[in-house]
């Protein structure tokens, strides 16, 4: 059995949860192949540090700006924005 756990280094809680989930899967299914992948690092390795720094800055210093961005982009089809690149990379991971 192959399992891919997608995560991100957003405040590190996601990574910790991913590692815990992977361990629980391995305990239950010792023969499983579990891979944890940071989708941001995978999709845009040259920009991942900036993405995480920007996210942390928005969350700590500008939640109103973050919320405005989220509201403006939540209904935009993935292929029309940066998220489309992530979808392509996700398909690559699953392929």
């Amino acid at each position: 059995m192959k399992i891919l756990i997608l995560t991100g280094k957003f405040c590190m809680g996601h990574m910790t949860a991913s590692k815990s989930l992977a361990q629980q899967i391995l305990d239950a299914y010792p023969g499983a192949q579990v891979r944890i992948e940071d989708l941001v690092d995978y999709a845009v390795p040259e920009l991942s540090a900036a993405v995480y720094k920007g996210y942390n800055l928005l969350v700590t210093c500008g939640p109103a700006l973050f919320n405005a961005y989220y509201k403006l982009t939540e209904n935009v089809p993935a292929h029309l924005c940066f998220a489309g690149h992530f979808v392509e990379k996700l398909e690559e991971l699953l392929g």
Side-chain angles (χ1 to χ4, degrees):
M1 168 182 0
K2 291 183 180 181
I3 298 172
L4 174 63
I5 299 172
L6 297 175
T7 192
K9 295 179 194 134
F10 300 101
C11 304
M12 295 310 292
H14 294 85
M15 189 60 73
T16 301
S18 297
K19 289 178 181 179
S20 177
L21 178 60
Q23 188 58 56
Q24 289 178 16
I25 292 168
L26 290 171
D27 290 346
Y29 303 96
Q33 296 176 14
V34 180
R35 177 178 171 185
I36 298 172
E37 191 67 57
D38 180 323
L39 186 57
V40 176
D41 281 343
Y42 184 85
V44 286
E46 65 283 353
L47 297 176
S48 65
V51 168
Y52 286 126
K53 285 180 185 177
Y55 172 82
N56 287 333
L57 182 65
L58 281 174
V59 169
T60 57
C61 300
L65 183 59
F66 178 79
N67 290 337
Y69 170 78
Y70 181 80
K71 287 179 183 177
L72 287 171
T73 61
E74 69 181 329
N75 294 317
V76 175
H79 68 279
L80 296 178
C81 65
F82 187 63
H85 179 72
F86 283 89
V87 171
E88 290 174 10
K89 288 298 191 174
L90 179 58
E91 289 172 346
E92 184 179 294
L93 277 171
L94 296 174

